[in-house]
Amino acid sequence: QVACECLHLDCPEPDLDEWRAMCKAWKNPTKKVTVALVGKYIQLHDAYISVVEALKHGGVYNSCDVTIKWIDSETVTPETADELLSDVSGILVPGGFGDRGTEGKIEAIKYAREHKIPMFGICLGMQMSVVEFARHVAGLEGANSSEFGDTPYPVIDIMDSQKDITEKGGTMRLGLYPCKLADNSRCAEIYSAPQNLIRERHRHRWEFNNEYRKLLEDKGLMLAGLSPDEKLVEIVELPKNVHPWFVGVQFHPEFKSRPNRAHPLFRDFIRASIEYSEFGEKI
């Protein structure tokens, strides 16, 4: 409107109802919730700026003030997990590269699974969710990602088509990819997408190892989202009757979130965290 006035162009009054409603919800939250962000780069908060903003967007959607508890994943151990995580209502494990801090991420995911705290894993967070499940539910001791070296059970591995590519940028799966949601999954309910087909942005190299699909499914891990050709696992979940909210995604939903259009996964993660803060394991 200002630009049109400067150019002496006719400009109708803009419809700002949606934006005003968003600002009102942002400035006047009716609820509060604390979410743990368990990462390896937390000394520089801007490393997770997109995730932080998406959490805020989810808060706006739910009229909720979201407080982030920054937790260095290197400090999370079986001895410290309860002290660090017992006061939060949601746990988010974001992306990253390299093995530093990954054992702490696995421990945080284990704590969320066992204590039924809403858990959201993104990229490496999703991969470590698979590793945690493989180790502690499926009984695959020493399971890990092949990114971190030799492991008897490489439940996360690099695709065969990428193994001969030496330049790191060339081995990454980048950009927008389609994903088909399982009909009975939590994510299908959250997205409510036509034909259960969504498209999300990726930036990762290692994938769910298809050799372990049947074993992990038989042990209770739900493969909630696959590539349309069913060759790639994009989303894992724990069933609703096992855990109130446990979702891991290979992609980066934070990149598509906006202040007035919170990403479906972030808005539902905050909703579940609010319910946990009010009712605990009853949700």
Side-chain angles (χ1 to χ4, degrees):
Q1 187 176 18
V2 172
C4 288
E5 289 175 359
C6 290
L7 295 171
H8 304 292
L9 298 174
D10 291 333
C11 180
E13 186 71 23
D15 183 0
L16 297 176
D17 289 346
E18 180 182 321
W19 191 262
R20 290 192 180 100
M22 181 271 294
C23 291
K24 181 178 180 181
W26 199 313
K27 293 179 179 179
N28 302 281
T30 59
K31 298 174 282 289
K32 291 185 178 182
V33 75
T34 298
V35 171
L37 195 157
V38 185
K40 60 171 76 177
Y41 315 125
I42 67 162
Q43 289 77 11
L44 180 63
H45 288 186
D46 278 4
Y48 299 112
I49 189 65
S50 296
V51 172
V52 170
E53 291 302 308
L55 285 169
K56 292 179 181 177
H57 303 162
V60 170
Y61 182 88
N62 289 281
S63 296
C64 178
D65 179 25
V66 178
T67 297
I68 295 174
K69 183 176 182 180
W70 296 89
I71 296 179
D72 185 340
S73 60
E74 290 188 276
T75 68
V76 185
T77 67
E79 293 73 30
T80 64
D82 192 66
E83 177 185 356
L84 292 170
L85 299 168
S86 62
D87 61 344
V88 303
S89 299
I91 296 174
L92 188 149
V93 180
F97 292 93
D99 63 350
R100 181 176 63 85
T102 53
E103 290 300 319
K105 290 190 174 192
I106 292 168
E107 196 60 43
I109 293 164
K110 181 174 183 282
Y111 188 91
R113 179 179 58 79
E114 293 182 341
H115 290 80
K116 293 184 169 50
I117 301 171
M119 209 300 294
F120 191 5
I122 297 174
C123 200
L124 181 62
M126 174 270 201
Q127 295 170 8
M128 294 303 95
S129 299
V130 175
V131 170
E132 192 281 324
F133 188 91
R135 288 184 187 180
H136 303 124
V137 179
L140 303 181
E141 185 176 352
N144 214 332
S145 168
S146 62
E147 177 184 0
F148 310 140
D150 292 335
T151 168
Y153 305 108
V155 293
I156 302 296
D157 199 6
I158 200 163
M159 291 188 297
D160 289 338
S161 61
Q162 295 173 316
K163 289 181 177 177
D164 294 329
I165 303 174
T166 57
E167 295 297 325
K168 284 191 174 182
T171 67
M172 296 189 76
R173 187 148 66 100
L174 295 167
L176 199 71
Y177 284 83
C179 172
K180 181 73 172 180
L181 303 175
D183 291 338
N184 61 337
S185 66
R186 179 182 297 279
C187 282
E189 181 181 326
I190 292 171
Y191 276 94
S192 297
Q195 300 179 321
N196 279 340
L197 187 67
I198 62 170
R199 290 174 175 80
E200 293 284 0
R201 291 172 62 183
H202 289 251
R203 187 179 183 273
H204 70 275
R205 186 173 299 114
W206 274 264
E207 305 280 356
F208 188 110
N209 188 340
N210 290 328
E211 292 184 12
Y212 293 91
R213 271 198 198 184
K214 185 177 187 307
L215 172 61
L216 296 182
E217 280 190 289
D218 288 346
K219 293 295 183 178
L221 187 67
M222 177 183 286
L223 307 186
L226 302 174
S227 58
D229 62 8
E230 299 189 354
K231 292 181 179 180
L232 298 171
V233 176
E234 303 280 33
I235 305 173
V236 297
E237 294 181 10
L238 291 182
K240 298 174 186 178
N241 63 337
V242 173
H243 195 283
W245 207 99
F246 191 108
V247 175
V249 299
Q250 272 280 40
F251 46 82
H252 288 269
E254 68 271 23
F255 293 159
K256 293 180 67 177
S257 190
R258 299 292 181 268
N260 57 332
R261 294 190 303 279
H263 189 283
L265 290 174
F266 279 92
R267 72 191 188 202
D268 204 64
F269 172 63
I270 294 300
R271 177 203 59 77
S273 298
I274 293 168
E275 291 191 12
Y276 180 89
S277 72
E278 296 175 348
F279 305 113
E281 295 184 14
K282 295 179 183 179
I283 62 174

Tab-separated table of all heavy atoms in Angstrom, residues 150-172:
chain	number	residue	atom	x	y	z
A	150	ASP	N	31.842	-48.087	11.944
A	150	ASP	CA	31.382	-49.473	11.909
A	150	ASP	C	30.317	-49.720	12.972
A	150	ASP	O	30.410	-49.251	14.106
A	150	ASP	CB	32.559	-50.417	12.140
A	150	ASP	CG	33.551	-50.397	10.985
A	150	ASP	OD1	33.137	-50.053	9.861
A	150	ASP	OD2	34.741	-50.710	11.217
A	151	THR	N	29.306	-50.479	12.609
A	151	THR	CA	28.238	-50.866	13.524
A	151	THR	C	27.695	-52.216	13.080
A	151	THR	O	27.586	-52.473	11.870
A	151	THR	CB	27.088	-49.839	13.541
A	151	THR	OG1	25.957	-50.395	14.231
A	151	THR	CG2	26.657	-49.435	12.147
A	152	PRO	N	27.369	-53.111	14.011
A	152	PRO	CA	26.827	-54.414	13.609
A	152	PRO	C	25.445	-54.315	12.979
A	152	PRO	O	25.035	-55.209	12.241
A	152	PRO	CB	26.787	-55.193	14.926
A	152	PRO	CG	26.709	-54.147	15.992
A	152	PRO	CD	27.515	-52.998	15.478
A	153	TYR	N	24.731	-53.234	13.281
A	153	TYR	CA	23.377	-53.057	12.761
A	153	TYR	C	23.214	-51.638	12.219
A	153	TYR	O	22.754	-50.737	12.927
A	153	TYR	CB	22.340	-53.329	13.855
A	153	TYR	CG	22.485	-54.679	14.513
A	153	TYR	CD1	22.965	-54.774	15.823
A	153	TYR	CD2	22.139	-55.846	13.844
A	153	TYR	CE1	23.096	-56.012	16.438
A	153	TYR	CE2	22.269	-57.090	14.446
A	153	TYR	CZ	22.748	-57.158	15.745
A	153	TYR	OH	22.888	-58.385	16.347
A	154	PRO	N	23.587	-51.409	10.955
A	154	PRO	CA	23.490	-50.063	10.368
A	154	PRO	C	22.049	-49.738	9.965
A	154	PRO	O	21.690	-49.766	8.787
A	154	PRO	CB	24.421	-50.139	9.154
A	154	PRO	CG	24.349	-51.589	8.744
A	154	PRO	CD	24.192	-52.372	10.015
A	155	VAL	N	21.214	-49.438	10.951
A	155	VAL	CA	19.802	-49.174	10.659
A	155	VAL	C	19.621	-47.882	9.869
A	155	VAL	O	18.578	-47.661	9.249
A	155	VAL	CB	18.966	-49.142	11.955
A	155	VAL	CG1	18.922	-50.531	12.590
A	155	VAL	CG2	19.511	-48.121	12.954
A	156	ILE	N	20.628	-47.022	9.913
A	156	ILE	CA	20.680	-45.833	9.050
A	156	ILE	C	21.913	-45.971	8.184
A	156	ILE	O	23.018	-46.198	8.698
A	156	ILE	CB	20.751	-44.532	9.882
A	156	ILE	CG1	19.544	-44.418	10.825
A	156	ILE	CG2	20.833	-43.318	8.957
A	156	ILE	CD1	18.196	-44.304	10.143
A	157	ASP	N	21.750	-45.842	6.872
A	157	ASP	CA	22.863	-46.097	5.965
A	157	ASP	C	22.766	-45.161	4.773
A	157	ASP	O	21.715	-44.545	4.527
A	157	ASP	CB	22.825	-47.559	5.510
A	157	ASP	CG	24.153	-48.057	4.960
A	157	ASP	OD1	25.147	-47.307	5.020
A	157	ASP	OD2	24.182	-49.200	4.468
A	158	ILE	N	23.850	-45.066	4.024
A	158	ILE	CA	23.838	-44.257	2.816
A	158	ILE	C	23.301	-45.112	1.671
A	158	ILE	O	23.513	-46.325	1.641
A	158	ILE	CB	25.249	-43.715	2.502
A	158	ILE	CG1	25.167	-42.507	1.572
A	158	ILE	CG2	26.161	-44.793	1.938
A	158	ILE	CD1	26.439	-41.688	1.536
A	159	MET	N	22.583	-44.506	0.748
A	159	MET	CA	22.001	-45.255	-0.353
A	159	MET	C	23.095	-45.760	-1.293
A	159	MET	O	24.125	-45.102	-1.475
A	159	MET	CB	21.025	-44.377	-1.136
A	159	MET	CG	19.759	-44.022	-0.368
A	159	MET	SD	18.532	-43.185	-1.394
A	159	MET	CE	19.383	-41.677	-1.835
A	160	ASP	N	22.866	-46.926	-1.900
A	160	ASP	CA	23.845	-47.497	-2.824
A	160	ASP	C	24.197	-46.531	-3.941
A	160	ASP	O	25.347	-46.452	-4.373
A	160	ASP	CB	23.315	-48.805	-3.422
A	160	ASP	CG	23.276	-49.937	-2.401
A	160	ASP	OD1	24.015	-49.851	-1.402
A	160	ASP	OD2	22.512	-50.899	-2.610
A	161	SER	N	23.213	-45.784	-4.411
A	161	SER	CA	23.443	-44.863	-5.531
A	161	SER	C	24.345	-43.699	-5.148
A	161	SER	O	24.851	-42.988	-6.015
A	161	SER	CB	22.113	-44.322	-6.053
A	161	SER	OG	21.438	-43.602	-5.031
A	162	GLN	N	24.570	-43.502	-3.857
A	162	GLN	CA	25.380	-42.370	-3.405
A	162	GLN	C	26.791	-42.781	-3.007
A	162	GLN	O	27.657	-41.934	-2.825
A	162	GLN	CB	24.711	-41.704	-2.195
A	162	GLN	CG	23.370	-41.070	-2.499
A	162	GLN	CD	22.692	-40.590	-1.232
A	162	GLN	OE1	22.671	-41.293	-0.236
A	162	GLN	NE2	22.148	-39.398	-1.264
A	163	LYS	N	27.038	-44.079	-2.848
A	163	LYS	CA	28.285	-44.530	-2.239
A	163	LYS	C	29.520	-44.204	-3.067
A	163	LYS	O	30.619	-44.085	-2.525
A	163	LYS	CB	28.215	-46.028	-1.951
A	163	LYS	CG	27.262	-46.348	-0.805
A	163	LYS	CD	27.198	-47.821	-0.494
A	163	LYS	CE	26.292	-48.085	0.697
A	163	LYS	NZ	26.143	-49.528	1.006
A	164	ASP	N	29.366	-44.076	-4.381
A	164	ASP	CA	30.525	-43.795	-5.224
A	164	ASP	C	30.736	-42.306	-5.456
A	164	ASP	O	31.655	-41.912	-6.176
A	164	ASP	CB	30.369	-44.501	-6.581
A	164	ASP	CG	30.404	-46.015	-6.433
A	164	ASP	OD1	31.089	-46.498	-5.506
A	164	ASP	OD2	29.754	-46.700	-7.237
A	165	ILE	N	29.894	-41.471	-4.855
A	165	ILE	CA	30.038	-40.026	-4.992
A	165	ILE	C	30.872	-39.512	-3.832
A	165	ILE	O	30.542	-39.718	-2.671
A	165	ILE	CB	28.665	-39.326	-5.003
A	165	ILE	CG1	27.797	-39.897	-6.123
A	165	ILE	CG2	28.833	-37.818	-5.188
A	165	ILE	CD1	26.375	-39.363	-6.126
A	166	THR	N	31.964	-38.837	-4.127
A	166	THR	CA	32.893	-38.423	-3.070
A	166	THR	C	32.670	-36.996	-2.604
A	166	THR	O	33.004	-36.649	-1.476
A	166	THR	CB	34.352	-38.563	-3.556
A	166	THR	OG1	34.530	-37.781	-4.750
A	166	THR	CG2	34.678	-40.020	-3.850
A	167	GLU	N	32.117	-36.149	-3.460
A	167	GLU	CA	31.869	-34.767	-3.058
A	167	GLU	C	30.616	-34.716	-2.206
A	167	GLU	O	29.550	-35.169	-2.630
A	167	GLU	CB	31.717	-33.853	-4.282
A	167	GLU	CG	32.979	-33.738	-5.117
A	167	GLU	CD	34.130	-33.106	-4.339
A	167	GLU	OE1	33.859	-32.212	-3.508
A	167	GLU	OE2	35.278	-33.519	-4.545
A	168	LYS	N	30.713	-34.145	-1.003
A	168	LYS	CA	29.603	-34.212	-0.045
A	168	LYS	C	28.310	-33.621	-0.591
A	168	LYS	O	27.237	-34.169	-0.409
A	168	LYS	CB	29.990	-33.510	1.258
A	168	LYS	CG	30.926	-34.343	2.119
A	168	LYS	CD	31.070	-33.744	3.497
A	168	LYS	CE	31.882	-34.661	4.406
A	168	LYS	NZ	31.993	-34.111	5.773
A	169	GLY	N	28.419	-32.472	-1.259
A	169	GLY	CA	27.198	-31.846	-1.765
A	169	GLY	C	26.453	-32.739	-2.740
A	169	GLY	O	25.230	-32.759	-2.773
A	170	GLY	N	27.214	-33.540	-3.518
A	170	GLY	CA	26.596	-34.413	-4.500
A	170	GLY	C	25.868	-35.586	-3.898
A	170	GLY	O	25.011	-36.180	-4.542
A	171	THR	N	26.222	-35.955	-2.671
A	171	THR	CA	25.586	-37.111	-2.045
A	171	THR	C	24.313	-36.751	-1.307
A	171	THR	O	23.606	-37.635	-0.841
A	171	THR	CB	26.546	-37.780	-1.040
A	171	THR	OG1	26.775	-36.897	0.052
A	171	THR	CG2	27.861	-38.153	-1.687
A	172	MET	N	24.009	-35.498	-1.179
A	172	MET	CA	22.854	-35.096	-0.377
A	172	MET	C	21.563	-35.147	-1.180
A	172	MET	O	21.547	-34.882	-2.384
A	172	MET	CB	23.056	-33.694	0.185
A	172	MET	CG	24.206	-33.586	1.157
A	172	MET	SD	24.259	-32.000	1.994
A	172	MET	CE	22.941	-32.209	3.160
